[in-house]
Amino acid sequence: MELPCDYITEAKGIIKERYIGRKTKTDGGRIDIIIEDGNHAVIIENKIYAEDQENQLLRYYNYGRKQFPKGFELVYLTLEGVEPDEKSLGKKNLPFNRMSYKDNIVEWLEECVVIAQKNPLAQAVIMQYRELVKQITNTDMDTNYKEQLLETMAKPENAIAMGEMLAVEEDWFSRIMDIYIWEPLKDYAISKNLKIGIEMDSGDETGAWIYKKEWKHYGIFVWTDSKRFWNDMYICISYYNKPNRSNLITKKEYQKLDCLVEEAETGCPYGWEYLPDTIRNWGYSITKEIVTKEVVNCIIEKFDMILNEIEEKKIKMP
């Protein structure tokens, strides 16, 4: 199943997350990164700040074996290059490649910086990402990096490109949220057989919600009342389709869920809570937390808790 050493350079396929079916003991789940050309593939489990799941690598290995019989490689990518937990391998001796951000990815990014010399904008972005990787792996030895980066950006051959980049910073941040928050939430909804709504055009109030097919009015929201600044993001159960009197959850039916902090109130009949302080306000300052999926994983964890409590308490959602 080995691939040529230049496969990634030559591959004509796509690189993205992929939902591979309902999760069972031996199949299914969601692959973080896959590079493929239709016949061959590199399947990457990108493990950052998260525990190994039971049979996770086994499920991805089985997918590769079935879908790419001509050859595939399974990669376990972590910050420090640690070994996967036995439970992820299904206690089997599976062939896989162990790689790290600290060594392999930083080294690759150093090479990319050199390759991108003729494209100053791309080079600046790669340099920024390289330093982010160094920071999260505690290998940032470049104390003068910020000054060096500013000097690079200010050079005549770079200044115009940087100006163009800053002119689309809002669109860039929206794209970052699409890739690392909204798209993973869509995949999560699919994996749970749930519906999802995303509202970006309702004035200051905006966010996303998930709901079961039989829930005609209410859903579980991650929301803000201040889209302009993406401040004070919170999670609650509220209505996405305004109910009539017969479907409205009345005050006497309010009950705070144990997994939510704040008491039930108008608009949030089962309680609500802000996201943790470190990721409560979404902006450039938490780009690392967004890109490393700390934000979306926190949302998904809370959604799971709410869904489980609704099921345990047999709450019927209108």
Side-chain angles (χ1 to χ4, degrees), residues 123-140:
Q123 187 182 51
V125 172
I126 294 169
M127 289 171 65
Q128 287 179 306
Y129 184 61
R130 177 194 63 186
E131 294 309 310
L132 170 62
V133 172
K134 287 183 176 182
Q135 289 171 21
I136 64 176
T137 57
N138 297 315
T139 56
D140 183 14

Side-chain angles (χ1 to χ4, degrees), residues 179-197:
I179 295 171
Y180 298 105
I181 297 177
W182 308 130
E183 288 301 324
L185 282 179
K186 289 178 183 177
D187 290 339
Y188 166 78
I190 291 171
S191 72
K192 293 282 189 177
N193 197 28
L194 299 169
K195 304 289 186 179
I196 186 168

Side-chain angles (χ1 to χ4, degrees), residues 246-257:
S246 63
N247 293 311
L248 182 68
I249 299 174
T250 61
K251 283 190 176 182
K252 65 180 181 180
E253 297 173 302
Y254 286 5
Q255 54 173 311
K256 188 184 84 66
L257 297 181

